[in-house]
Amino acid sequence: MNSFNFKYPDHRPRRIRGNAVLREMLRETRFSAEQLMMPYFVRAGRNIKEPIASMPGQYRFSPDALLKELDTLASSGVRSILLFGLPETKDEKASASYSSKSVIVQAVKAIKKRFPEIAVTTDVCLCAYTNHGHCGLLSADGYIKNDASLGVLAKMALAHAEAGVDMLSPSDMMDGRIQAIRSQLDGKGFEELPLMSYSAKYSSSFYGPFRDAAHSAPAQSEGLKRPAPKDRKGYQMDFSNREEALREIALDIQEGTDIILIKPVLAYLDILREAKNTFCFPTAAYIVSGEYAMVKAAAQKGWVNEKESVLEILTSVFRAGADLVITYHAKEAAIWGGSK
Ligand code: PBG
């Protein structure tokens, strides 16, 4: 029964399914290369393309090597990238995160010069920059200092804005950071720079390979009175919670985000659909490192077909309501040609 109380007559769905052309005409979900965003890890150095063991096919690039990689990305049709930085130094204040000479600042400048048509987004979070690996600053007794972290995140955002980035993506999950970043940017003349915020970011085991790639796993830190937790459950969301996701998204929208992001995705398609239906807001979904690694590992063993399973997964994420998808398979998926 549909919403206008019309009872469908008995019919034979196979009449359409049996014809490949009709089947394709009536396909409800399609996506194209412009809706995909490709993440990259950037490290210092020259001519470095370092494989990441837990993410086959992914690398840590030095800025010059990344430019070469972007030549091949551009030919796949993907036009949007997300950069994560690996700093040379980590400390308790995450000082390298807001340096105007950071590897991310260098990479953004080089990319925008060579590929002005590529939309460059940068991650805004402290976990790769703190010596303890948490996404915010820690107090001496091992607690996250939420409000003190906001100023550091805002400075990091400003350094990236000044480098010429096209969008910023705060992934730290501190409360109030969208407002803090927005007011810092607006005060410095970056009113038009968009934010894509990780609004519903769940504490997930599927981030494992990323923490290996970005050297950002939370570790106990020396010199603290009380050891800090080795997980991010104090600020990332409990995967049992649905209403909390809606509240987090509402707050980010109120604070001025331009795109909401749900992450991970495969175990959270219900949240994605509900977020889209509830807020009618530009919505991104991130197929994270562990989700990528699972498909890669099974494909390498010959247990699933990589192309088929990637296209099926991606289509399901768009079907669930995503407007754009961040995926380590972006380049291949674009070449494989969408949801065929
Ligand atoms: C940083 C951050 C993480 C991811 C994106 N930004 C890791 C984490 O929160 O531990 C995960 C991305 C992925 O797994 O692909 N806070």
Side-chain angles (χ1 to χ4, degrees):
M1 203 66 83
N2 49 36
S3 54
F4 37 92
N5 263 359
F6 172 78
K7 185 178 180 310
Y8 290 111
D10 293 338
H11 75 304
R12 305 179 132 231
R14 278 179 292 111
R15 283 180 196 150
I16 283 169
R17 276 191 214 135
N19 181 306
V21 176
L22 295 180
R23 200 163 61 222
E24 196 161 326
M25 282 179 101
L26 292 173
R27 175 167 291 150
E28 294 176 41
T29 308
R30 298 166 206 272
F31 65 88
S32 58
E34 301 92 73
Q35 293 170 282
L36 302 175
M37 187 183 277
M38 177 71 195
Y40 286 110
F41 299 96
V42 192
R43 50 155 291 167
R46 285 190 61 78
N47 203 18
I48 294 171
K49 183 178 174 185
E50 187 182 21
I52 300 165
S54 52
M55 299 177 71
Q58 303 300 314
Y59 304 85
R60 300 182 197 93
F61 291 96
S62 56
D64 59 330
L66 183 57
L67 292 179
K68 282 190 216 142
E69 158 67 20
L70 292 182
D71 272 329
T72 67
L73 184 79
S75 60
S76 77
V78 175
R79 301 190 300 209
S80 166
I81 61 174
L82 173 60
L83 301 182
F84 293 94
L86 283 89
E88 286 182 286
T89 55
K90 298 176 189 255
D91 60 27
E92 65 200 15
K93 297 199 187 97
S95 325
S97 65
Y98 51 85
S99 159
S100 60
K101 299 192 177 73
S102 74
V103 69
I104 284 292
V105 166
Q106 292 169 30
V108 169
K109 286 183 178 165
I111 295 166
K112 289 310 297 182
K113 195 163 158 210
R114 172 91 173 271
F115 300 100
E117 70 286 2
I118 293 184
V120 182
T121 302
T122 50
D123 181 65
V124 176
C125 182
L126 307 186
C127 60
Y129 298 85
T130 51
N131 52 8
H132 44 70
H134 280 287
C135 301
L137 305 179
L138 282 186
S139 68
D141 42 2
Y143 291 105
I144 284 283
K145 294 200 283 187
N146 186 93
D147 294 6
S149 306
L150 301 181
V152 185
L153 291 162
K155 279 204 278 185
M156 181 177 187
L158 183 61
H160 294 186
E162 285 170 342
V165 77
D166 296 296
M167 181 156 73
L168 294 165
S169 189
S171 70
D172 53 283
M173 288 301 274
M174 298 299 120
D175 294 337
R177 90 276 204 213
I178 298 306
Q179 186 169 34
I181 292 171
R182 191 72 267 165
S183 60
Q184 170 80 290
L185 294 175
D186 293 355
K188 299 283 184 181
F190 293 104
E191 296 92 345
E192 301 301 325
L193 188 59
L195 300 180
M196 173 173 74
S197 62
Y198 293 52
S199 306
K201 179 176 182 182
Y202 286 90
S203 178
S204 169
S205 57
F206 296 115
Y207 306 149
F210 175 98
R211 293 178 187 174
D212 176 25
H215 301 148
S216 65
Q220 275 182 25
S221 159
E222 282 160 32
L224 295 179
K225 281 188 243 151
R226 171 186 162 274
K230 283 189 170 171
D231 59 48
R232 305 198 199 289
K233 292 194 169 118
Y235 43 101
Q236 296 182 351
M237 288 178 42
D238 179 342
F239 55 71
S240 323
N241 295 354
R242 180 181 63 85
E243 292 181 346
E244 189 185 5
L246 299 177
R247 290 197 297 274
E248 286 278 4
I249 294 167
L251 283 171
D252 277 8
I253 294 174
Q254 271 172 351
E255 289 180 30
T257 195
D258 299 283
I259 301 177
I260 55 171
L261 189 151
I262 316 292
K263 164 186 175 185
V265 195
L266 296 191
Y268 301 87
L269 289 175
D270 57 329
I271 307 293
L272 178 57
R273 168 48 65 197
E274 191 161 4
K276 189 64 184 169
N277 287 356
T278 306
F279 296 102
C280 300
F281 206 75
T283 303
Y286 194 153
I287 303 177
V288 299
S289 56
E291 298 175 312
Y292 171 84
M294 287 195 298
V295 172
K296 273 283 175 193
Q300 282 181 349
K301 285 190 175 287
W303 291 345
V304 297
N305 177 303
E306 184 172 9
K307 172 179 168 180
E308 305 281 318
S309 47
V310 166
L311 292 179
E312 183 175 338
I313 286 171
L314 258 176
T315 304
S316 79
V317 177
F318 283 108
R319 193 190 63 225
D323 298 298
L324 72 95
V325 176
I326 306 166
T327 168
Y328 301 96
H329 269 117
K331 193 164 64 175
E332 288 93 334
I335 293 167
W336 291 331
S339 49
K340 295 231 165 61

